[in-house]
Amino acid sequence: LDVVDIVRQIELTRSDFEIVIAGEGEDRPRLVATLNEIIGANRVNFLGQLDSSSLVSNFYRTIDILLITSDRETGPLTAWEAMARGV
């Protein structure tokens, strides 16, 4: 749920942005409800769990910044994979 505080801080800048979230977990319903309340459903896109092919075609190619907030993620491997694709 770290992304909620991050979004609140971005909102303060009055920047135009969209949040795209890949992954799945037990906190998703709470995260969806909280983010929709803060910034509206049209600015939050939940992709769910993606396989490697979908990560490349539907996620890495469409984002400008990758934030890894999960303590269950494989750490630097995810960052290196994104960086190899220009993120």
Side-chain angles (χ1 to χ4, degrees), residues 5-84:
D5 290 330
I6 293 166
V7 167
R8 284 188 173 123
Q9 291 301 311
I10 295 171
E11 262 296 282
L12 294 175
T13 69
R14 303 282 185 217
S15 299
D16 187 29
F17 66 96
E18 176 188 13
I19 301 294
V20 181
I21 298 176
E24 197 65 49
E26 61 191 38
D27 290 325
R28 180 183 174 153
R30 195 165 97 195
L31 185 60
V32 169
T34 304
L35 288 178
N36 286 344
E37 180 181 313
I38 295 170
I39 62 174
N42 61 330
R43 293 175 61 194
V44 181
N45 186 4
F46 287 89
L47 302 179
Q49 186 171 345
L50 302 174
D51 59 27
S52 295
S53 174
S54 295
L55 273 172
V56 172
S57 61
N58 298 330
F59 188 65
Y60 293 136
R61 290 186 181 166
T62 64
I63 63 173
D64 297 311
I65 298 169
L66 175 70
L67 299 174
I68 303 170
T69 59
S70 172
D71 58 1
R72 296 182 185 135
E73 199 53 62
T74 55
L77 290 178
T78 302
W80 292 336
E81 188 177 73
M83 288 168 50

